[in-house]
């Protein structure tokens, strides 16, 4: 799985919405097209809102899961 190895990780535990989306957006804008951003969140509102906000900006949600009480998102630039 090369995509996972090459992914950029962003840990947003403790960061609440809407600040977590602001940080995601800034990071995505710094990335090259085709790169993948992997997020770890503990904010349920952010986990709900970030995918729709990212898709509205033209990004692709590759994965959205919950493991061990944390939300994990994979977004392609």
């Amino acid at each position: 799985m090369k995509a996972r190895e090459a992914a950029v990780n962003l840990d947003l535990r403790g960061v609440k919405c809407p600040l977590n989306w602001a940080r995601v957006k800034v990071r995505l804008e710094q990335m090259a097209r085709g790169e993948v951003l992997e997020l770890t969140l503990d904010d349920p509102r952010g986990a709900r809102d970030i995918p729709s906000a990212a898709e509205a900006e033209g990004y692709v949600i590759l994965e959205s899961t919950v493991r061990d009480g944390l939300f994990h998102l994979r977004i392609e630039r």
Side-chain angles (χ1 to χ4, degrees), residues 41-65:
L41 302 144
D42 59 1
D43 178 26
R45 183 174 167 205
R48 182 195 70 217
D49 293 348
I50 288 174
S52 57
E55 287 178 335
E57 296 281 332
Y59 302 112
V60 178
I61 305 304
L62 300 174
E63 184 178 357
S64 177
T65 59

Side-chain angles (χ1 to χ4, degrees), residues 20-39 49-63 73-77:
N20 50 22
W21 166 241
R23 291 187 181 177
V24 168
K25 187 173 177 179
V26 167
R27 188 65 186 108
L28 284 166
E29 289 173 354
Q30 296 170 343
M31 295 169 61
R33 185 168 300 279
E35 283 189 292
V36 174
L37 180 62
E38 290 187 348
L39 306 175
D49 293 348
I50 288 174
S52 57
E55 287 178 335
E57 296 281 332
Y59 302 112
V60 178
I61 305 304
L62 300 174
E63 184 178 357
L73 301 171
R74 296 182 78 235
I75 305 172
E76 183 178 339
R77 166 93 163 80

Side-chain angles (χ1 to χ4, degrees), residues 5-23:
E5 292 171 13
V8 174
N9 292 300
L10 186 58
D11 187 341
L12 294 172
R13 288 178 280 187
V15 180
K16 299 296 180 194
C17 199
L19 185 56
N20 50 22
W21 166 241
R23 291 187 181 177

